[in-house]
Amino acid sequence: MKADRYPALMAALRRRPALAAAVRLLNRLLPFAAYLLYPLGAVWLLVQRDPRLVRFILVPGVVFVLGTAVRRAFHAPRPYQLADYEPLVHRGKTDDSFPSRHVFSASVIAAAFWYVCPPLGLLLTVSALLLAPVRVLAGVHFPRDVLAGLVFGLGGGWLGCFVLLPNLP
């Protein structure tokens, strides 16, 4: 989807206040699941003295730092910068749209949970997959931004948790 399509999308959503409210609510709730469960999972692993804690913390941390560096390198504009409209979710921020940090953070946390608790990994993967179109509908990302966030987060998390770092628990 190109930037010139976003004003019409925002207008259509604003004509349906319940749908616009649902997009705003999902935009807040979906990342909240990952951001709440992640520290709880880390504390649980710490209390259990589970050696997987190192990988559970290290992999998302590395992916987050690398993802932030990629965002800064691309310095990609957000859709509302290219087409003059008010997004459903007020960002107050410009550029650094690619890849979506919300989506890659939620995705790498999902991958970390696949490593320690597959049912929660599945739940958080579904949450990240739902978050991606919500960020587009909210008007703050292009589809390529959220797709890259999913690939970067899930791919980086999967590589770090299941393929690389063989000497870590």
Side-chain angles (χ1 to χ4, degrees):
M1 183 160 68
K2 301 215 185 256
D4 60 348
R5 309 255 338 244
Y6 277 87
L9 175 62
M10 293 302 108
L13 285 168
R14 285 193 169 87
R15 284 192 300 273
R16 296 168 183 85
L19 185 56
V23 168
R24 286 186 188 104
L25 180 64
L26 288 171
N27 184 67
R28 285 183 176 262
L29 290 180
L30 291 171
F32 182 73
Y35 302 159
L36 174 69
L37 287 174
Y38 183 64
L40 293 175
V43 168
W44 176 256
L45 292 169
L46 180 66
V47 168
Q48 297 299 312
R49 297 177 189 245
D50 191 321
R52 296 176 298 174
L53 174 64
V54 173
R55 194 177 297 236
F56 187 79
I57 291 175
L58 184 63
V59 170
V62 168
V63 170
F64 185 82
V65 169
L66 290 174
T68 299
V70 168
R71 285 166 56 92
R72 290 199 177 132
F74 278 96
H75 201 58
R78 294 180 179 272
Y80 56 80
Q81 290 177 263
L82 300 177
D84 192 27
Y85 68 90
E86 187 71 26
L88 287 181
V89 176
H90 299 282
R91 287 288 302 151
K93 186 175 183 184
T94 58
D95 301 321
D96 296 340
S97 182
F98 178 87
S100 167
R101 186 180 324 207
H102 278 80
V103 174
F104 79 67
S105 297
S107 297
V108 74
I109 290 169
F113 269 101
W114 275 105
Y115 178 64
V116 299
C117 181
L120 284 177
L122 175 62
L123 175 75
L124 291 173
T125 299
V126 170
S127 177
L129 290 170
L130 292 172
L131 178 61
V134 165
R135 299 292 290 165
V136 173
L137 289 172
V140 294
H141 282 292
F142 290 106
R144 67 164 191 249
D145 303 336
V146 297
L147 181 59
L150 285 167
V151 170
F152 193 81
L154 287 172
W158 197 263
L159 278 172
C161 287
F162 294 101
V163 177
L164 302 176
L165 311 169
N167 296 327
L168 285 179

